[in-house]
Structures are given as C-alpha cells and as structure tokens.
Amino acid sequence: MKKFYDVVISGAGISGVALAALLKSSPYFKSRSVLLLDKSMPAVKPRLKVAAKESGSVPFSNRIYALNQSSLDVLKFTGAWEIICDDYRHWPAFNMQTLDSRCRKGFTTFSNADPNEPVAHFLESQVIVSSLLRSVQSTSNNPIIMSQNQISKLERNPNSVKVGLENGEEVETLLLVGAEGFNSNVRKLSGIKWYQHLYHHHALVGTLKVECPDGNRTAWQRFLDSGPIASLPLERDTASLVLFASKIFLDQLILRPDQEIVDSLNRFWTEDVEMDSFEYLSRFQENVQNIFGGVGSLSSRGEEPRPPLIKSVDKMSLATFPVGFGHAVNYVKPNVALVGDAAHRIHPLAGQGANLSLSDCKVLFEQMQSAVEVGENPGKFSYLLEYERKAQAHNVPTQLFCDIIYRLYGSSRYPAVLLRSLAAASVNNLAAVNSMMVKWASTSKPLQT
C-alpha cells in the first residue's frame, strides 16, 4: 500500500536534519506528516561535556564548521543551540586573520565592531547533527518519521511526486527535498542540470595541539603558492587543521613521523618564498599614492601577526578529501527542491559551506510555511520558485567570490599579488569595508514564524 507524506526529506546530514527540525518547530506543520530518509541514518552522539568529565578527554572529529550568526539563528529556533550549550562543545572566534606568504604585510584582520561579539563559532559536524536530531526526536510538537532507507526512483504526478524506495515501498508526497550532498540522488532523478569542476588540490584535515598567546580566539589562514593552510580554534590549546595541496604531497606527508609532520606544518606558517613582494609593492604604491590617498598603504602597516605554534598532531585524525565547485542550474522543479550541497558545492577556504546549507533550509522553510499559512500545500511551485530566487541570489555570488579568491591567491605573479595586497590593506584601513565583509559573511534575518 502506498503511503502519503506532506514532505519527504532525502538525506539526514546537516541540511536534512536542520529542515526537519525547523518543520517540527513550526505550528503550521502540527498536522502535517514529514518523512526523513537516509540509508545510513546518523546516531545521536553522547553528551560530550559529560563524557569528557567522566573520561578526561574526548577526541575531536576532523569535520569542523564555522557557523555565522544566521546559522546560529536556525539552531536557536529549533532548540538545538540550547542542547549544544548544555551538552556539547563549541568555541567562539573573535577574529579571523589571513596572511599572504608572498607579501608579509598583505595580511587582513576581520572582526566585529563589538570586540566581545564572535565572528564565528566552531563546531564539529557530529555536534550540529546530533543536536538537531535530538530536537527532531523530542516527544513534543510535530512527530517526524525517520526511516533508514533511500530513494531509488521518482515519478511525477500533476500535484505530487511518487517515489520508490530501495526496500520496495512506494511513497507519495507534496514536496520531495533533496539534501543528500553533492552526489544527490534526488537531483539526478529529477533531471536537474549540474555543473562542476574539481580543483587541482585536495584538503588535509586533522586535530592539532597548539600554543597560542591569545587563548586561541582567532581563526587563522595563510595563503601559499601550493594552497592555503588554516588553523581553526576548538579549545584553548586545540585547533583543527585544514591544508590544501596536491594529493600526492598530502599522502606522503601523513606517512611521515609525527614530529616531521609538526615541523612541516609550522614551516607552512612561517617560511618565506624566494622573493617577498613587499618592496616591489611599496615602490609601486609610491607612484600611485595620489590615486589611493594612502587608503591602501602597505608601508605604514605593522608586522605580520604570528599564528599559533603547533606542538603536536593527532595522527589518527588526519584525513584527505577532494575539493570541488558545483552548481545546480535549478534548485527546484514542481514538487521538488534541493538544499545544501545537493544544490551547490563551494571551496571551503572561507568556511561558508555549512552556512549556505543552513541558509537554504531557512529560506525554504519560510516559503513552505508561507504557503501552508494561506491554505496552499508546502510544495506549491510558485513558493518554491521564490525559494530558488532568494537562495541563488545569495549562494551564487558567494560561490564565485570564493572561487575568485582561490584563483587570485593561487597566483604568484606580481599583478595578482599587488591586487590582493592592496585589497587586504584597504580592508584593514577602512573600518566600513571590514564591517561590510563581516556582515556579508554573517548576514542574519529573524526567522519568519
């Protein structure tokens, strides 16, 4: 017998469980049925704060996300943020510091106008998913049906979608949401065009012990010719590593003894290139001083900030993965919508992947809620199109910006070094520009209820 659900969400990663938690928190879906599918349904992780007190320490996962204020609003609305604060761990960063190996004074510091307001909170993926799952599984409000299954076929009806599941069951729904990641089965079965390319490097992630004078309250990134390296704060003496380089190099690096890995990573933070571009840029700037009026002055800048010193590495936490760009031409079709990596894939250098995913869920949820509020079904196509318009207007420029930054900092040619160094000086010297960049990365509007 075919079962009916108002909404079917395929994928129980951050995007899928976030949308399910939003729907569960809405009074407009109190009488609506929601099915959450995933072949490998994640389990709720233990209360890490309690576990840490009992065992002394709990290793960090190597999948770390930087969440902005808009993402925190989603977690707060669902009750997940309260769960995180009570039972899990998170760490605020009050500054984001970027360095350029080609120009010692081409650094940029991002911070909020209020020095006590973090620019981002760093959390493990398992913490975000577990807190949202606990919100979904709570006994209050609207029940969410969870099934360890996946979609194998899709058939469109005039006002609904019929999906076949891997176990042979058939389900009909008013709205099917694809949230399975960049290999989305829903996107493929719906025939939505997908454009992608892989970058030439992979990413190495892992957990580090660091020595940091400021209490590890800054997220660091240094751009090298081989690719960026980043240190993301997790605790006072613990950070998450992200290093971009060729797969061959990274595979060789993780086979070295622990101390050799540590020494190599520290050199990435401090080693100079064959010729620093500062003197060249300063001479060039003297000739155009009247145009820039000193706004982008490099010669007046202080010394390059010093990143944390890496003391040790948790070798068991090291892992590599490919890095790519992806874009779905459409986020929606009749009775079908994509969210998160199913709709877009972004270079992780700016840490915006999870924020874009949670932003998608927020915008789609608001459109679904608006449709139900006026008596329409949650898959009404006009409302889905409005979700697509709003989401793409935010996501596409962000994807392109990260792609441009990757290519600009991946070049060692003088014009590229000049452009990025002057831009870095301008961002630091113009408070309005700095504030605008921080606000762009953490745009927050209250959820409409």
Side-chain angles (χ1 to χ4, degrees):
M1 180 179 175
K2 183 170 60 180
K3 296 180 181 179
F4 174 84
Y5 295 93
D6 291 278
V7 182
V8 173
I9 303 170
S10 178
I14 290 178
S15 300
V17 293
L19 183 59
L22 286 167
L23 295 175
K24 184 177 179 65
S25 303
S26 171
Y28 293 101
F29 282 84
K30 187 174 294 185
S31 59
R32 299 278 179 165
S33 56
V34 179
L35 173 65
L36 177 63
L37 295 170
D38 198 301
K39 187 176 182 179
S40 302
M41 187 67 69
V44 173
K45 296 298 179 182
R47 300 165 64 190
L48 295 179
K49 286 184 178 179
V50 175
K53 288 179 181 179
E54 292 176 349
S55 64
S57 66
V58 176
F60 279 90
S61 162
N62 57 21
R63 296 186 64 188
I64 305 297
Y65 292 106
L67 298 190
N68 60 24
Q69 186 57 51
S70 181
S71 295
L72 293 188
D73 287 345
V74 173
L75 298 183
K76 290 175 181 177
F77 183 83
T78 61
W81 183 245
E82 184 178 354
I83 294 171
I84 290 172
C85 292
D86 288 344
D87 295 336
Y88 295 104
R89 53 195 178 190
H90 63 95
W91 193 257
F94 295 87
N95 301 286
M96 289 191 176
Q97 188 74 64
T98 64
L99 312 175
D100 187 347
S101 64
R102 283 277 170 180
C103 184
R104 294 188 306 274
K105 297 197 176 184
F107 59 86
T108 311
T109 305
F110 296 99
S111 58
N112 277 307
D114 181 354
N116 297 315
E117 183 181 348
V119 294
H121 287 263
F122 289 88
L123 299 92
E124 299 157 89
S125 173
Q126 64 181 11
V127 165
I128 302 172
V129 172
S130 291
S131 62
L132 288 166
L133 274 176
R134 284 177 58 180
S135 177
V136 168
Q137 294 172 350
S138 65
T139 55
S140 61
N141 299 330
N142 321 327
I144 304 292
I145 308 301
M146 301 173 63
S147 174
Q148 194 160 320
N149 215 324
Q150 70 175 4
I151 294 173
S152 60
K153 61 181 180 179
L154 183 154
E155 180 183 324
R156 284 196 185 86
N157 296 324
N159 297 304
S160 65
V161 172
K162 184 173 72 174
V163 295
L165 304 183
E166 199 173 56
N167 65 356
E169 292 183 13
E170 286 190 343
V171 171
E172 186 177 0
T173 182
L174 298 173
L175 178 60
L176 172 64
V177 180
E180 319 99 320
F182 64 87
N183 284 321
S184 170
N185 206 26
V186 169
R187 188 187 67 236
K188 294 173 183 176
L189 292 172
S190 299
I192 295 176
K193 290 184 179 179
W194 173 254
Y195 293 104
Q196 67 173 346
H197 65 258
L198 291 176
Y199 294 104
H200 73 273
H201 56 226
H202 277 52
L204 170 67
V205 293
T207 305
L208 308 170
K209 285 296 181 182
V210 297
E211 184 179 285
C212 190
D214 75 344
N216 208 16
R217 298 289 179 170
T218 299
W220 294 83
Q221 186 162 244
R222 190 177 194 228
F223 290 94
L224 307 159
D225 289 351
S226 57
I229 183 173
S231 176
L232 311 178
L234 298 176
E235 286 181 330
R236 181 173 292 275
D237 64 347
T238 309
S240 181
L241 163 73
V242 187
L243 173 63
F244 300 93
S246 70
K247 187 177 187 306
I248 294 176
F249 173 82
L250 295 177
D251 288 343
Q252 293 173 344
L253 176 65
I254 61 179
L255 293 177
R256 298 178 189 174
D258 290 22
Q259 192 55 48
E260 285 189 22
I261 296 176
V262 169
D263 293 341
S264 296
L265 295 176
N266 278 320
R267 282 196 297 271
F268 281 129
W269 284 109
T270 57
E271 69 179 358
D272 295 324
V273 294
E274 292 182 3
M275 179 173 58
D276 188 281
S277 304
F278 169 60
E279 293 182 5
Y280 171 85
L281 294 174
S282 296
R283 290 197 302 270
F284 178 89
Q285 196 173 38
E286 288 175 5
N287 297 326
V288 295
Q289 194 68 32
N290 290 333
I291 299 176
F292 287 98
V295 166
S297 176
L298 289 169
S299 58
S300 63
R301 307 195 73 194
E303 292 301 312
E304 180 182 73
R306 302 295 293 180
L309 176 68
I310 300 171
K311 305 293 289 184
S312 63
V313 58
D314 177 4
K315 202 168 183 179
M316 295 297 294
S317 71
L318 296 177
T320 64
F321 62 89
V323 180
F325 176 98
H327 168 67
V329 175
N330 300 108
Y331 286 9
V332 302
K333 282 203 169 183
N335 305 103
V336 176
L338 304 177
V339 294
D341 288 355
H344 45 75
R345 190 179 182 188
I346 189 172
H347 196 292
L349 65 84
Q352 290 299 304
N355 292 320
L356 294 188
S357 296
L358 290 171
S359 176
D360 288 349
C361 295
K362 178 180 177 180
V363 177
L364 178 59
F365 165 70
E366 290 174 343
Q367 292 304 311
M368 294 168 65
Q369 192 169 240
S370 295
V372 173
E373 186 179 5
V374 297
E376 298 287 356
N377 76 67
K380 181 72 174 179
F381 194 47
S382 58
Y383 288 86
L384 297 183
L385 287 173
E386 182 64 7
Y387 154 67
E388 178 182 270
R389 184 189 69 79
K390 290 183 175 180
Q392 288 194 344
H394 176 63
N395 295 344
V396 173
T398 304
Q399 287 180 273
L400 294 177
F401 174 78
C402 291
D403 189 71
I404 290 170
I405 291 296
Y406 159 75
R407 297 181 189 283
L408 184 63
Y409 277 92
S411 173
S412 59
R413 295 183 178 182
Y414 278 134
V417 178
L418 171 66
L419 177 61
R420 71 199 192 208
S421 298
L422 291 178
S426 298
V427 169
N428 278 297
N429 292 344
L430 291 174
V433 176
N434 191 297
S435 178
M436 181 183 68
M437 293 291 288
V438 173
K439 287 182 179 178
W440 166 79
S442 59
T443 300
S444 177
K445 295 180 181 179
L447 273 162
Q448 299 173 4
T449 58

